[in-house]
Amino acid sequence: MIKNILFDFDGTLADTSEGIVRCTQATLREMGLPASTPGRIRATIGLPLGQCFSDGTDTPPERVDEACLTYRRLFNEIAIPCTTLFDGVPQTIAALHAKGLRLAICTSRSSASLQELLKVHGIGSYFSAHTCNDDVLRLGAQPKPAPDLALLLLERLGARAEESLVVGDTVFDLEMGRRAGCRTCGVTYGNQDLAQLQTAAPDFLLDDIRGLVTLL
């Protein structure tokens, strides 16, 4: 029986892709680096920010740390105004919470940016805990698709993996959940399509997050 739901944030709860692309391009312009294509940037969403610049742009390795600092400085001004919750998210998390399920967030973004986005959209009170890229840096853990962030979140919740469901829009999320011993649910409306998600063999696939209410 599922008692806990561990949500990814970007592409699962919130449509952050346009803001991420705009903020990344603004970072590259400010640093005098070549622009990257939106598709290349979007393909890295869900990975730690440094890896996004390494894989999704032509940022030289020695300037990746500078790019991350610049991006974070520009984020609130450029990315947050472009971010929206997906249709049905507020109603769905409210309904799941009312059913007694514990909700948490497992994301590759920083804790500061997650907290700001939760505050802006007024949904932070529904979530009991979260793990972020800060935990990777502070604890020497491995980022998604390694299981570390999910395992740490389960520990913070005092939850059992077999009673938990990881919900995400990328194979990084689903692989993390599977390796942590959780059941997994892919959502097809985010940053990766159905064919990509199926390669991770999730237990469930949903085209609409509202389907979680009847699924559970």
Side-chain angles (χ1 to χ4, degrees):
M1 180 180 178
I2 299 299
K3 297 181 179 179
N4 317 286
I5 307 179
L6 282 53
F7 288 98
D8 170 55
F9 188 79
D10 297 80
T12 301
L13 297 177
D15 187 353
T16 57
S17 61
E18 184 62 26
I20 289 171
V21 169
R22 290 189 187 189
C23 197
T24 301
Q25 298 287 36
T27 298
L28 298 174
R29 285 194 301 272
E30 182 169 315
M31 293 176 62
L33 296 172
S36 187
T37 65
R40 185 179 174 195
I41 295 169
R42 287 190 175 99
T44 66
I45 293 176
L47 295 172
L49 184 57
Q51 191 172 346
C52 292
F53 276 101
S54 297
D55 297 351
T57 76
D58 293 321
T59 302
E62 66 273 14
R63 299 194 71 187
V64 166
D65 287 346
E66 178 190 354
C68 291
L69 289 173
T70 304
Y71 178 98
R72 291 187 178 111
R73 175 168 52 79
L74 298 173
F75 183 83
N76 283 13
E77 177 185 353
I78 296 175
I80 285 183
C82 301
T83 298
T84 59
L85 298 180
F86 286 108
D87 288 346
V89 165
Q91 301 91 330
T92 298
I93 60 176
L96 294 170
H97 188 268
K99 292 178 72 169
L101 290 156
R102 284 191 299 177
L103 312 181
I105 294 175
C106 191
T107 177
S108 294
R109 70 169 48 255
S110 71
S111 179
S113 66
L114 174 64
Q115 295 287 11
E116 183 65 22
L117 286 164
L118 292 174
K119 177 182 176 182
V120 166
H121 294 289
I123 60 172
S125 62
Y126 291 105
F127 299 98
S128 300
H130 67 267
T131 48
C132 299
N133 194 52
D134 308 55
D135 296 298
V136 172
L137 299 175
R138 182 171 56 86
L139 301 173
Q142 295 298 309
K144 299 177 185 181
D148 298 24
L149 284 178
L151 291 171
L152 178 58
L153 190 50
L154 291 172
E155 181 181 338
R156 287 178 178 173
L157 290 170
R160 300 169 61 186
E162 60 269 26
E163 295 177 342
S164 304
L165 177 71
V166 169
V167 181
D169 70 307
T170 71
V171 295
F172 315 127
D173 305 312
L174 303 177
E175 177 68 10
M176 174 195 68
R178 183 187 65 79
R179 291 173 65 183
C182 303
R183 301 184 80 180
T184 60
C185 177
V187 294
T188 63
Y189 52 77
N191 293 300
Q192 293 186 356
D193 61 24
L194 175 63
Q196 290 173 291
L197 295 173
Q198 286 175 325
T199 65
D203 296 288
F204 310 102
L205 282 165
L206 293 174
D207 296 324
D208 189 319
I209 196 167
R210 286 168 282 215
L212 276 174
V213 178
T214 52
L215 180 65
L216 300 175

